[in-house]
Amino acid sequence: SCYYDETNNALFVGEDTNDRISYYDSSKNIDTLTGSTSMAYTYMIGTGVAGTSATAISNPRGMFSDGTYLYEADTNQRVLRFPIPTANTPTANLVLGEVDFVSNTGGTTTTSQTRFNGAEGVLIVNNRLYVSDDRRIIYFDDPTNLTNTAPLTSVLGQPNFTTRNTSNNNSTLPIAGPLRSLRTDGKRLFGVEGATGGRVLIFPLFD
């Protein structure tokens, strides 16, 4: 995956098999590149080795930058928040979905108000951090001021924080397959299902 940070004219590129995110800052002139270009990244987020810590990531998935921080989801069933890097291997200052930076207790088909089971898509709109987590969309208010392991505010696609309905035919719980990514036009959320569902689902933003 990749994310263009318009505020800083910078590009984040997730390298899942290398367990890192390559960051290309404004000195690379991302906005004027054309054709085929080979260039070295400015800084690396992660250690290049899969792990669970405040500096290591595993198979980076969705990313979003608000210009000050990078929020990234990885296969450790968590979302980390990093400051925009000024050196290699920055230290995350927030973890969501796990009890601490070094634990990996998710991915056991259990979800809760503080535990994830497959975080992938990440975005911020209207000062809310949205995360696609397995067969649900969750959000946190005021992401800049969140603290570690903060409980999520609300859930979409399931009736409560702990249910993980996987039915393809339940019209009241429309998320049939794990959501791979999230997008928004400022008024609606667009969630892309994986192979189980094979659809793009559209939801109004939370009030």
Side-chain angles (χ1 to χ4, degrees):
S1 61
C2 65
Y3 182 83
Y4 174 65
D5 178 356
E6 186 173 359
T7 301
N8 296 308
N9 185 28
L11 183 68
F12 298 90
V13 179
E15 300 181 44
D16 55 354
T17 58
N18 290 326
D19 300 300
R20 70 184 186 186
I21 297 170
S22 295
Y23 174 66
Y24 301 84
D25 69 5
S26 59
S27 69
K28 305 296 184 179
N29 299 313
I30 299 297
D31 57 341
T32 60
L33 290 177
T34 59
S36 177
T37 302
S38 177
M39 61 183 177
Y41 58 75
T42 310
Y43 301 118
M44 176 180 72
I45 300 171
T47 62
V49 178
T52 51
S53 71
T55 56
I57 58 179
S58 298
N59 295 104
R61 301 303 191 190
M63 295 178 285
F64 185 91
S65 174
D66 61 4
T68 302
Y69 298 109
L70 173 72
Y71 298 78
E72 75 88 25
D74 64 31
T75 53
N76 289 325
Q77 322 301 334
R78 62 184 185 172
V79 169
L80 297 179
R81 184 182 68 194
F82 292 92
I84 299 300
T86 56
N88 284 325
T89 317
T91 300
N93 55 28
L94 176 72
V95 59
L96 300 172
E98 277 295 349
V99 296
D100 53 40
F101 287 106
V102 298
S103 297
N104 183 9
T105 59
T108 58
T109 71
T110 299
T111 58
S112 71
Q113 197 171 0
T114 57
R115 189 174 183 179
F116 298 165
N117 188 56
E120 293 220 21
V122 182
L123 66 82
I124 294 175
V125 61
N126 298 337
N127 199 33
R128 283 176 171 162
L129 171 64
Y130 289 87
V131 180
S132 61
D133 176 44
D134 195 16
R135 290 166 172 83
R136 64 180 187 169
I137 297 171
I138 56 180
Y139 79 75
F140 301 82
D141 285 323
D142 195 12
T144 300
N145 293 310
L146 288 173
T147 56
N148 287 339
T149 69
L152 60 96
T153 305
S154 192
V155 60
L156 179 65
Q158 298 291 346
N160 53 52
F161 297 123
T162 58
T163 298
R164 182 178 176 268
N165 187 290
T166 60
S167 171
N168 288 352
N169 301 306
N170 192 328
S171 61
T172 62
L173 302 174
I175 301 179
L179 293 174
R180 301 307 185 195
S181 63
L182 287 177
R183 296 292 185 270
T184 184
D185 62 0
K187 299 178 181 178
R188 298 166 294 177
L189 285 174
F190 301 85
V192 180
E193 288 183 326
T196 305
R199 303 174 297 178
V200 174
L201 303 179
I202 303 173
F203 301 96
L205 287 176
F206 290 102
D207 294 330

